[in-house]
Every structure is written in structure tokens, then in C-alpha cells.
Amino acid sequence: MITKKIDHVGIAVRDASKRLSVYRDFFNLQNIHVEEIAERGIRVYMIQVGESKIELLEPMNENSEISKFLDSKGEGIHHIAFNVLGIDQAAELAKSNGLQPLSDKPKAGAGGTKVLFLHPKTTGGVLIELVEGNH
């Protein structure tokens, strides 16, 4: 088994301060970690929900990884992330099952994790993120 759990659901937002009220106020979720990933141009708001998280992805500039998505599709669910035991092994297993990674090697993710995305054309239209490590 390469996965332990769903790590998080990523949601693209233009302005996290406007969207946090849904999770913080309505659902009373107070455990929120904010982190900037400058090399990817995103600000991440991780909201703990039981064993998993909701991840709000906010662009830091107009060329961020999330900006194109927001421009073409608007705010909403961006990806689902699975926590994996070994990202390199998971990437190889994905390839052997006909799933195409979006990059040659994992990138730095929030909280010191390693992440790798799988192309939605090979996963039935869903952007899947593989996450190694814990936030």
C-alpha cells in the first residue's frame, strides 16, 4: 500500500481572507497554518479537519502556479492529495500504471513535504497530488 490517507483537498481562492470565514467561523475550525512558498508563488492556508486538511491556495502574484487555474476556471476545488509512504516509489508505480507526472521530480511542498502532481488527462480529469511527509 503506497498511501495512508487523504492528506488534503486543495481549493484555489483569489483572496483567502474572504474564504476563511467559511471554515473558521461556520465550521469552527481554528487550527490554521499559513505558509508562503515563494518559488511557486503561492500562499497556503492549511486547515485541520480530523486527520485530513483543507488547503486554500492563494496566488502571491499573477504568475503563480494557481493564477492560470483561477483565470480559466475560477475559485474551487483544484486537487486532491494523497499522503504516500515514499514519493519516488509512488511516482514509479504511477508511471507503470499509465499515470503521467507533471514534473520529472518532486517539488517542495508546504510544511517541508515533497509533492508531485499527476496529470488529470491520465487520472480521469482529477488533478492528483502525491505528498510525502507531514505538514
Short mmCIF file of all heavy atoms in Angstrom, two decimals, residues 4-5 7-8 53 82-87 110-115 130-135:
data_model
loop_
_atom_site.label_atom_id
_atom_site.label_comp_id
_atom_site.label_asym_id
_atom_site.label_seq_id
_atom_site.Cartn_x
_atom_site.Cartn_y
_atom_site.Cartn_z
N LYS A 4 -1.48 6.24 2.96
CA LYS A 4 -2.03 6.04 4.30
C LYS A 4 -3.39 6.70 4.43
O LYS A 4 -4.22 6.25 5.19
CB LYS A 4 -1.09 6.66 5.34
CG LYS A 4 0.29 6.04 5.38
CD LYS A 4 1.12 6.65 6.48
CE LYS A 4 1.59 8.04 6.08
NZ LYS A 4 2.50 8.65 7.05
N LYS A 5 -3.57 7.82 3.69
CA LYS A 5 -4.81 8.59 3.87
C LYS A 5 -4.89 9.69 2.83
O LYS A 5 -3.93 9.99 2.12
CB LYS A 5 -4.83 9.22 5.25
CG LYS A 5 -3.71 10.25 5.45
CD LYS A 5 -3.75 10.89 6.81
CE LYS A 5 -2.64 11.92 6.94
NZ LYS A 5 -2.69 12.63 8.19
N ASP A 7 -4.51 13.27 2.29
CA ASP A 7 -3.78 14.30 3.02
C ASP A 7 -4.59 15.59 3.09
O ASP A 7 -4.79 16.14 4.16
CB ASP A 7 -2.42 14.56 2.36
CG ASP A 7 -1.54 15.46 3.18
OD1 ASP A 7 -0.89 14.93 4.10
OD2 ASP A 7 -1.52 16.68 2.92
N HIS A 8 -5.05 16.05 1.92
CA HIS A 8 -5.84 17.28 1.90
C HIS A 8 -6.57 17.43 0.58
O HIS A 8 -6.29 16.73 -0.38
CB HIS A 8 -4.96 18.52 2.15
CG HIS A 8 -3.96 18.78 1.07
ND1 HIS A 8 -2.68 18.25 1.09
CD2 HIS A 8 -4.02 19.52 -0.06
CE1 HIS A 8 -2.02 18.65 0.03
NE2 HIS A 8 -2.81 19.42 -0.70
N LYS A 53 -6.89 17.62 5.85
CA LYS A 53 -6.85 19.09 5.85
C LYS A 53 -7.57 19.63 4.62
O LYS A 53 -7.74 18.93 3.62
CB LYS A 53 -5.41 19.57 5.82
CG LYS A 53 -4.58 19.21 7.03
CD LYS A 53 -3.12 19.49 6.77
CE LYS A 53 -2.19 18.44 7.25
NZ LYS A 53 -2.42 17.07 6.92
N PHE A 82 -2.99 12.77 -1.79
CA PHE A 82 -2.85 11.53 -1.04
C PHE A 82 -1.48 11.50 -0.39
O PHE A 82 -0.47 11.74 -1.05
CB PHE A 82 -3.00 10.31 -1.96
CG PHE A 82 -4.37 10.15 -2.53
CD1 PHE A 82 -4.73 10.79 -3.71
CD2 PHE A 82 -5.32 9.38 -1.87
CE1 PHE A 82 -6.00 10.65 -4.23
CE2 PHE A 82 -6.60 9.24 -2.39
CZ PHE A 82 -6.94 9.88 -3.57
N ASN A 83 -1.44 11.20 0.90
CA ASN A 83 -0.18 11.05 1.60
C ASN A 83 0.38 9.68 1.22
O ASN A 83 -0.31 8.68 1.31
CB ASN A 83 -0.40 11.15 3.11
CG ASN A 83 0.88 11.26 3.86
OD1 ASN A 83 1.54 10.25 4.10
ND2 ASN A 83 1.25 12.46 4.23
N VAL A 84 1.64 9.68 0.76
CA VAL A 84 2.28 8.42 0.33
C VAL A 84 3.49 8.12 1.20
O VAL A 84 4.10 9.01 1.78
CB VAL A 84 2.68 8.46 -1.16
CG1 VAL A 84 1.46 8.59 -2.04
CG2 VAL A 84 3.66 9.57 -1.45
N LEU A 85 3.82 6.86 1.29
CA LEU A 85 4.92 6.43 2.14
C LEU A 85 6.29 6.74 1.55
O LEU A 85 7.24 6.93 2.26
CB LEU A 85 4.79 4.93 2.44
CG LEU A 85 3.50 4.54 3.16
CD1 LEU A 85 3.39 3.02 3.28
CD2 LEU A 85 3.44 5.19 4.53
N GLY A 86 6.40 6.78 0.23
CA GLY A 86 7.65 7.10 -0.46
C GLY A 86 7.31 7.70 -1.81
O GLY A 86 6.75 7.01 -2.67
N ILE A 87 7.60 8.97 -1.99
CA ILE A 87 7.15 9.65 -3.21
C ILE A 87 7.84 9.13 -4.47
O ILE A 87 7.21 9.02 -5.52
CB ILE A 87 7.27 11.18 -3.07
CG1 ILE A 87 6.36 11.85 -4.10
CG2 ILE A 87 8.71 11.66 -3.17
CD1 ILE A 87 5.96 13.25 -3.76
N ALA A 110 4.25 22.49 1.13
CA ALA A 110 4.05 23.17 2.42
C ALA A 110 4.53 22.28 3.56
O ALA A 110 4.45 21.06 3.50
CB ALA A 110 2.58 23.51 2.60
N GLY A 111 5.04 22.90 4.60
CA GLY A 111 5.44 22.19 5.80
C GLY A 111 6.62 21.25 5.62
O GLY A 111 6.75 20.29 6.37
N GLY A 112 7.45 21.49 4.62
CA GLY A 112 8.62 20.65 4.42
C GLY A 112 8.33 19.33 3.72
O GLY A 112 9.16 18.42 3.73
N THR A 113 7.16 19.21 3.12
CA THR A 113 6.83 17.98 2.41
C THR A 113 7.43 17.98 1.01
O THR A 113 7.91 19.00 0.52
CB THR A 113 5.29 17.84 2.28
OG1 THR A 113 4.78 18.97 1.57
CG2 THR A 113 4.63 17.72 3.64
N LYS A 114 7.38 16.82 0.37
CA LYS A 114 7.72 16.69 -1.04
C LYS A 114 6.42 16.36 -1.77
O LYS A 114 5.64 15.52 -1.30
CB LYS A 114 8.72 15.55 -1.27
CG LYS A 114 10.09 15.80 -0.74
CD LYS A 114 10.96 14.60 -1.08
CE LYS A 114 12.35 14.74 -0.52
NZ LYS A 114 13.16 13.54 -0.81
N VAL A 115 6.20 17.01 -2.93
CA VAL A 115 4.95 16.79 -3.66
C VAL A 115 5.21 16.53 -5.14
O VAL A 115 6.19 17.00 -5.70
CB VAL A 115 3.99 18.00 -3.49
CG1 VAL A 115 3.68 18.24 -2.02
CG2 VAL A 115 4.53 19.25 -4.13
N LEU A 130 0.58 13.77 -4.97
CA LEU A 130 1.20 12.81 -4.06
C LEU A 130 2.02 13.61 -3.07
O LEU A 130 2.79 14.50 -3.46
CB LEU A 130 2.09 11.84 -4.83
CG LEU A 130 1.44 11.10 -5.99
CD1 LEU A 130 2.47 10.24 -6.72
CD2 LEU A 130 0.26 10.26 -5.52
N VAL A 131 1.87 13.33 -1.78
CA VAL A 131 2.55 14.07 -0.73
C VAL A 131 3.33 13.12 0.15
O VAL A 131 2.77 12.18 0.68
CB VAL A 131 1.54 14.85 0.17
CG1 VAL A 131 2.26 15.61 1.26
CG2 VAL A 131 0.68 15.78 -0.66
N GLU A 132 4.63 13.39 0.30
CA GLU A 132 5.47 12.61 1.22
C GLU A 132 5.78 13.50 2.41
O GLU A 132 6.25 14.63 2.26
CB GLU A 132 6.76 12.18 0.55
CG GLU A 132 7.68 11.41 1.48
CD GLU A 132 8.99 11.07 0.81
OE1 GLU A 132 9.08 10.01 0.18
OE2 GLU A 132 9.91 11.91 0.91
N GLY A 133 5.55 12.99 3.61
CA GLY A 133 5.84 13.75 4.82
C GLY A 133 4.55 14.30 5.43
O GLY A 133 3.46 14.15 4.88
N ASN A 134 4.72 14.92 6.58
CA ASN A 134 3.57 15.51 7.30
C ASN A 134 3.79 16.99 7.46
O ASN A 134 4.89 17.44 7.71
CB ASN A 134 3.41 14.85 8.67
CG ASN A 134 3.02 13.39 8.54
OD1 ASN A 134 2.11 13.05 7.81
ND2 ASN A 134 3.75 12.53 9.23
N HIS A 135 2.71 17.74 7.34
CA HIS A 135 2.77 19.20 7.47
C HIS A 135 3.01 19.58 8.91
O HIS A 135 2.47 19.06 9.81
CB HIS A 135 1.47 19.83 7.00
CG HIS A 135 1.11 19.46 5.60
ND1 HIS A 135 1.63 20.10 4.51
CD2 HIS A 135 0.33 18.47 5.11
CE1 HIS A 135 1.15 19.55 3.41
NE2 HIS A 135 0.37 18.56 3.75
#
